[in-house]
Amino acid sequence: MAIDLQQIGKRFRFYTHLNEYEMEDLKAITGSDETTLKNILNGCNIVLDELVAIVKHFPDLNSRWLIYGEGSMFKPKDENGNCQDNPKDCLKKDKTAYLQQMKNMLLELDAAEVAKGHHADVDALMSKLNELKAKASE
């Protein structure tokens, strides 16, 4: 299974946008420098050891999804039903504009994921975003 660095960058960017992490947040959470983080977000010059070191700081992020685009973005809930920081519960921005931004990013990911045969995952995410957008505009 080949690793596509640009897709890793797009997926990590999608995850960070969904969680509303800014560069300063990422630097504080990971302890990494801005150049390393920008390289990962842009999908270039990624050193896998650095990526692994950074990913461990996001306990809800499914590393298999990040690297290979397989499965869900978030890890399943634990045995107590707890999930780390549910993004739906902590939206800070205007929900309609924010959900439109997420939809646009999802469309960008869609092209790559459909080509890899993951269309059902993308359709499910798109459906959920449309549902949230409809609720936000009510």
Side-chain angles (χ1 to χ4, degrees), residues 15-17 19-23 25-26 29 58 60 85:
Y15 171 81
T16 59
H17 282 291
N19 286 288
E20 300 181 349
Y21 293 132
E22 301 293 332
M23 182 56 71
D25 300 321
L26 294 174
I29 291 167
F58 302 98
D60 64 335
D85 299 326

Side-chain angles (χ1 to χ4, degrees), residues 12-13 16-17 20-42 54 58:
F12 191 60
R13 206 167 46 246
T16 59
H17 282 291
E20 300 181 349
Y21 293 132
E22 301 293 332
M23 182 56 71
E24 293 305 314
D25 300 321
L26 294 174
K27 288 173 18 182
I29 291 167
T30 65
S32 297
D33 61 81
E34 190 166 335
T35 301
T36 299
L37 291 166
K38 281 184 178 181
N39 283 343
I40 292 171
L41 290 166
N42 293 322
I54 287 170
F58 302 98

